[in-house]
Amino acid sequence: MTREYSGIRESRTHTATVTDWGGESCRGAGNFRANCIGQADRTFSQGLQCQQINSINALLSLADSAFIVHAPIGCTGCCSGANDVYRVGQMHRGNYAVKNARILATNLDERDIILGGEQKLRKAISLASERYNPKAIFIFTSCASGIIGDDIEAIVADAQKSAAPLLVPVHCEGFKSKVCASGYDAAFLAIGKYILKDAPKGDTIPDLLNLFAPPSVSYLDQLEIERMLGEIGIRINYIPFYSSFEKLRTIPRAAASTAICKVFADEFMVDLKEEYGIPFSHTIMPIGTRNTDKWYLGVAELFGKTAEAKAYIARQREQFAPLVQDIYNRLHGKRVFICGGTGRSFAAAALVSDFGMKLVGLETPTFDNDALIDFDYLNGVHGSYEVDVANMQPFEQVNLLQKLKPDVFVGVPSWAAKLGFPTTHVLDMKRPTLGYRNLVYLGNKMASQLENPGYNKRLSAHARLPYRDSWYESDPFKFIKQY
Ligand code: SF4
């Protein structure tokens, strides 16, 4: 492989990566294109999603693997959320003997910070092997293990001599990147380096597609994508979501690759093309008819099935048009604020065009060349709207919501619900959002929330947010300082 990618999104040379910006979308697109959005930071920050949790999230549903978090116990706290997703996913798949993920934490403490965490890591490896007999053990690093300089590669190389499972270090120290999607890249770099390096290439399976999916994809979404691609004779190798060690080893044999989310495995698919010659499609998340058409045609083209795909799209549009029209009648003209991951925010924002809604605000964790394509499209449809490029800064979100007063909030709803806005979740694997069928589900959900706002209204009457009135009157982006 000639390409050298560190896994840190800010290090990419083909695009700038913006993590701290706020303002009007048209100005943002213009400034980004003119290279005028420079390095910035927040002088006050309410928290930052760490890349370690995205590495853990990406891999945790591999049922035949075990996981070691080489970190102080606090870093392991987010595993409870990832485990919840894994447990619900099992239930949705009809597996009612629900299991927890096989996670061990090395619980680095003050003594280890001085003397090193090697012994604890060795002990955790041998405990995980004995207790679970897994095919692979993924070892997630942390800020603490990185700062004290534990030589994970050397420890793993030595421990591997006596360990039966394959040991796979994932270098996801939180301090390395402000872009949480870097955590996905760290997971895929580890898969490439440790799991695929000795995998036999074997013959290409002509109808097999590597479909890279994050854990936020629901089971109904999985079924919908299988249904859609099955119609044109494409089989799916889901990676790494509810997958297995053997399925990971099949990656090099697929005829093509694509991803559900635009910032998931996008860099890995470039590596796969370079290393194994596997072509890939990188378009947009299939939320809403326009995006689903685009995503579907991108995949079909890789298999030479464009004509069949166009015919299928026409049938689907005809079938679902009356249902979409019904939702349009209930939602058109409503003003919407959208907040999700980078891929999902932009895709969901395009979805609101199906229902004639007006985008007034969008929150996304990052912004780069790839997002600019979607930005331009949305600016064309909705004109200018407020954008907050923020990784977990709810104080900015509540300020914007109080100023913009949208009719509907779509995304991660905790704060908007407490302000009394009707909310619909789109970043939650418990509910479907993808493809033609689930567009109808999502639209009905939005309309139903709008028509039945009582719960959030009552919640707002009793919930106290920690902000003074003076904050709501302030510039929401006053803590963003550009250098
Ligand atoms: S790895 Fe670092 S950033 Fe991530 S949770 Fe631990 S201390 Fe925080």
Side-chain angles (χ1 to χ4, degrees), residues 216-379:
S216 55
V217 171
S218 73
Y219 183 51
L220 283 178
D221 284 331
Q222 174 184 338
L223 294 179
E224 172 69 346
I225 296 292
E226 278 170 6
R227 179 186 76 85
M228 286 163 47
L229 292 176
E231 286 284 335
I232 52 172
I234 297 172
R235 279 195 303 132
I236 300 172
N237 185 29
Y238 279 105
I239 302 291
F241 152 99
Y242 292 92
S243 177
S244 65
F245 186 70
E246 279 320 307
K247 282 187 169 180
L248 293 183
R249 302 260 291 180
T250 313
I251 291 173
R253 297 190 60 199
S257 301
T258 196
I260 290 283
C261 173
K262 261 183 127 174
V263 296
F264 191 75
D266 48 335
E267 296 293 338
F268 187 52
M269 291 193 294
V270 177
D271 289 342
L272 290 178
K273 178 154 194 216
E274 190 171 294
E275 185 76 13
Y276 303 102
I278 301 174
F280 66 92
S281 167
H282 178 64
T283 49
I284 193 160
M285 204 160 182
I287 302 181
T289 47
R290 172 215 179 241
N291 294 347
T292 303
D293 294 353
K294 209 169 165 191
W295 183 87
Y296 191 63
L297 283 171
V299 176
E301 197 179 332
L302 295 170
F303 289 85
K305 304 216 171 199
T306 304
E308 292 98 311
K310 281 186 176 165
Y312 176 69
I313 287 170
R315 291 199 302 276
Q316 291 293 284
R317 280 189 169 244
E318 196 184 340
Q319 181 183 344
F320 289 107
L323 299 172
V324 173
Q325 181 62 44
D326 173 57
I327 300 165
Y328 178 95
N329 294 342
R330 295 155 72 195
L331 287 177
H332 79 276
K334 300 296 180 201
R335 301 166 72 254
V336 61
F337 188 105
I338 290 184
C339 159
T342 308
R344 212 174 279 251
S345 294
F346 285 106
L351 149 81
V352 300
S353 310
D354 281 315
F355 305 135
M357 300 167 85
K358 167 84 182 119
L359 182 65
V360 293
L362 183 143
E363 185 178 335
T364 173
T366 50
F367 183 75
D368 58 16
N369 274 351
D370 214 13
L372 186 62
I373 300 166
D374 305 318
F375 223 35
D376 284 342
Y377 167 74
L378 292 171
N379 288 344

Side-chain angles (χ1 to χ4, degrees), residues 5 70 139 195 227 240 243 331 333 376 397 417 436 450 454 472:
Y5 174 51
H70 188 42
I139 298 160
I195 297 177
R227 179 186 76 85
S243 177
L331 287 177
D376 284 342
Q397 183 187 104
Y436 299 105
L450 194 72
Y472 294 113

Side-chain angles (χ1 to χ4, degrees), residues 116-130:
E118 176 175 347
Q119 292 315 317
K120 280 192 170 172
L121 181 54
R122 285 180 182 275
K123 190 172 170 201
I125 291 170
S126 92
L127 259 179
S129 307
E130 281 167 31

Side-chain angles (χ1 to χ4, degrees), residues 147-170:
I147 289 166
I148 64 178
D150 272 355
D151 189 344
I152 309 290
E153 300 287 329
I155 298 168
V156 160
D158 191 52
Q160 189 69 79
K161 291 176 193 157
S162 55
L166 182 67
L167 304 179
V168 185
V170 182

Side-chain angles (χ1 to χ4, degrees), residues 108-117 144 148 150:
L108 295 176
D109 58 20
E110 289 90 339
R111 183 185 155 84
D112 306 312
I113 298 306
I114 295 163
L115 300 176
I148 64 178
D150 272 355

Side-chain angles (χ1 to χ4, degrees), residues 48-53 69-72 74-78 141-145 147 172-177:
L48 203 69
Q49 186 184 351
C50 154
Q51 61 162 331
Q52 186 200 64
I53 190 57
V69 188
H70 188 42
C75 303
T76 324
C78 291
T141 60
S142 62
C143 291
S145 69
I147 289 166
C172 52
E173 296 89 350
F175 61 74
K176 288 197 306 195
S177 174

